[in-house]
Amino acid sequence: MLLRKSIAIDMDQVLADLLQSELDIFNKRYNKQITKQDLTGKVLEDDYPELANEIYEFMNTYEFFRDLPVIEHSQEVIKELQEHYDIYIATAAMFAPNSMIAKYEWLQEHFPFLHPHHFVFCGDKGAVHADYLIDDSLNQLESFQGQGIMFSAPHNEYENYGVKVTDWLAVRDYFMEKLTTKS
Amino acid sequence: MLLRKSIAIDMDQVLADLLQSELDIFNKRYNKQITKQDLTGKVLEDDYPELANEIYEFMNTYEFFRDLPVIEHSQEVIKELQEHYDIYIATAAMFAPNSMIAKYEWLQEHFPFLHPHHFVFCGDKGAVHADYLIDDSLNQLESFQGQGIMFSAPHNEYENYGVKVTDWLAVRDYFMEKLTTKS
């Protein structure tokens, strides 16, 4: 029997569409029409550094993180991957401590087939032990000790990384192919 | 220059005296006089299985975890170890999700010299990456991939483990000796 490999999966911008909710609130509050496309290769705070604190304040709440939309195909693909891999959720919740309970409840609502004992709320992902990490953050991927997989997001559009995937169907292909080539 | 090793440290029964608070509430609520010594080699739920749910309910609260006493010498020793090691806090907060905000605040109050980016709130500590783990739970030590150090608690009194320490002064000796023997 082959030993099951483990996959750690980031939440924000990988499972949860944080950017869309961030823009919805920002545009309404400051009467703007910023789109995701406008943020190619950067984050909102790069264009509005004077509002960085206010952006952090409206995001670091239970309400903000509790209602984020689920990123397309993540549920079905993770459910399928779970048959062959140990799945962990690894999210940098310590950057926004008020998000913790919301993230826990959100995972239970949208990914009820995952066990909470496999949730890891951390800061630096160098402290996460898994064979793979799927993440949109280059810093976190570089800190992680295993094989990283960069999940595309507007902010990382111009970043090169060994393994980069555009969506969850590509994640599925990457991992299912590994199973086939092994047997 | 030597690469700094990393130490992950459990909270309950290692940094925070959870058992004392648990007994204080239990004894008051059920009119008992159970002491820590009465729980040598077992946990409260072993003697009162019919109350296990009620015990979990009164413990899985913000208030319970926010006010736990700090275990003797942990602050001074960790501050000293931090000069030579990367310190992470790894706590199984997912077993009591209502504890998360309290644990975060408690660490900031009692260990202000630790960075929240080094807090890891998890379930199974097989997902924690560090060179060492100091923990009172045999299950967690067995799940962890690095070198485990069992921290004595009444419930693990009869458990044998390769490295077992009785208090924080013994933790200090263990790690400071490693530094001396290397140089």
Side-chain angles (χ1 to χ4, degrees):
Chain A
M1 199 187 123
L2 283 170
L3 198 66
R4 282 163 71 97
K5 297 270 188 179
S6 55
I7 308 172
I9 302 170
D10 177 37
M11 285 181 76
D12 301 327
Q13 296 302 109
V14 175
L15 298 182
D17 192 348
L18 179 130
L19 183 55
Q20 189 56 60
S21 294
E22 182 183 2
L23 288 178
D24 289 347
I25 296 175
F26 185 86
N27 285 336
K28 196 173 168 193
R29 183 177 292 212
Y30 302 106
N31 198 23
K32 307 273 186 196
Q33 270 107 34
I34 321 267
T35 65
K36 283 182 175 183
Q37 223 166 350
D38 295 331
L39 293 177
T40 303
K42 60 188 171 182
V43 295
L44 198 51
E45 292 85 345
D46 291 334
D47 283 346
Y48 299 94
E50 74 282 8
L51 296 176
N53 283 344
E54 291 186 30
I55 293 169
Y56 180 77
E57 288 298 321
F58 77 64
M59 288 175 75
N60 182 26
T61 64
Y62 171 88
E63 292 72 22
F64 181 80
F65 283 94
R66 187 64 186 84
D67 290 327
L68 298 180
V70 180
I71 284 183
E72 202 180 8
H73 300 304
S74 59
Q75 290 152 310
E76 69 205 60
V77 172
I78 292 173
K79 203 166 186 174
E80 187 178 348
L81 289 178
Q82 200 177 26
E83 292 171 24
H84 309 280
Y85 294 90
D86 289 335
I87 305 294
Y88 290 86
I89 303 299
T91 179
M94 297 304 156
F95 292 93
N98 293 335
S99 74
M100 289 194 280
I101 301 276
K103 279 173 179 273
Y104 184 90
E105 292 177 0
W106 190 93
L107 286 167
Q108 296 221 297
E109 178 185 348
H110 299 292
F111 295 84
F113 49 87
L114 295 178
H115 200 294
H117 294 178
H118 280 204
F119 300 168
V120 183
F121 290 3
C122 60
D124 173 5
K125 291 185 189 170
V128 174
H129 178 86
D131 294 305
Y132 301 93
L133 171 67
I134 306 172
D135 206 301
D136 64 308
S137 158
L138 182 61
N139 282 345
Q140 294 284 22
L141 290 165
E142 286 179 342
S143 182
F144 179 66
Q145 303 290 307
Q147 170 67 54
I149 293 151
M150 182 179 276
F151 196 88
S152 288
H155 74 84
N156 67 29
E157 175 78 20
Y158 305 128
E159 281 167 3
N160 287 316
Y161 190 76
V163 184
K164 191 168 180 178
V165 293
T166 51
D167 59 24
W168 272 96
L169 299 179
V171 172
R172 183 192 176 283
D173 290 346
Y174 176 83
F175 283 106
M176 296 315 275
E177 196 174 317
K178 286 205 172 291
L179 292 176
T180 325
T181 51
K182 243 189 234 162
S183 61
Chain B
M1 200 187 122
L2 282 170
L3 197 67
R4 282 163 70 96
K5 298 269 189 182
S6 55
I7 308 173
I9 302 170
D10 177 36
M11 286 180 76
D12 301 327
Q13 296 301 109
V14 175
L15 298 182
D17 193 348
L18 178 131
L19 182 57
Q20 189 56 61
S21 295
E22 183 184 2
L23 288 178
D24 289 347
I25 297 175
F26 184 86
N27 286 335
K28 196 173 168 192
R29 182 177 293 211
Y30 302 105
N31 198 24
K32 308 272 186 196
Q33 271 106 32
I34 320 266
T35 65
K36 283 183 175 181
Q37 222 166 351
D38 296 330
L39 293 177
T40 303
K42 58 188 171 180
V43 294
L44 197 52
E45 292 85 345
D46 291 334
D47 283 347
Y48 299 94
E50 74 283 7
L51 296 175
N53 283 343
E54 289 185 32
I55 294 169
Y56 180 78
E57 289 299 321
F58 77 64
M59 290 174 74
N60 182 26
T61 63
Y62 170 88
E63 291 72 23
F64 181 80
F65 283 94
R66 186 64 187 85
D67 290 327
L68 298 180
V70 179
I71 284 183
E72 201 180 9
H73 300 304
S74 60
Q75 290 152 310
E76 70 205 59
V77 172
I78 291 173
K79 203 167 185 173
E80 187 178 347
L81 290 178
Q82 200 177 28
E83 292 172 23
H84 310 280
Y85 294 90
D86 290 334
I87 305 293
Y88 290 86
I89 303 299
T91 178
M94 298 304 156
F95 292 92
N98 293 335
S99 74
M100 289 194 281
I101 301 278
K103 279 172 178 272
Y104 184 90
E105 292 177 1
W106 189 94
L107 285 167
Q108 295 221 299
E109 179 186 347
H110 299 292
F111 295 83
F113 49 88
L114 295 178
H115 200 294
H117 294 178
H118 280 204
F119 299 169
V120 183
F121 290 4
C122 60
D124 173 5
K125 291 185 189 171
V128 174
H129 178 87
D131 294 305
Y132 301 93
L133 170 67
I134 306 171
D135 207 301
D136 64 308
S137 157
L138 182 61
N139 282 345
Q140 293 285 21
L141 291 165
E142 286 180 342
S143 182
F144 178 66
Q145 302 290 307
Q147 170 67 54
I149 293 150
M150 183 179 276
F151 195 88
S152 288
H155 73 83
N156 67 30
E157 176 77 19
Y158 305 128
E159 281 167 2
N160 286 316
Y161 191 77
V163 183
K164 191 168 179 177
V165 293
T166 51
D167 59 23
W168 273 95
L169 298 179
V171 172
R172 182 192 176 284
D173 290 346
Y174 176 84
F175 284 106
M176 297 314 274
E177 196 174 317
K178 286 205 170 293
L179 291 176
T180 325
T181 51
K182 243 189 232 161
S183 60

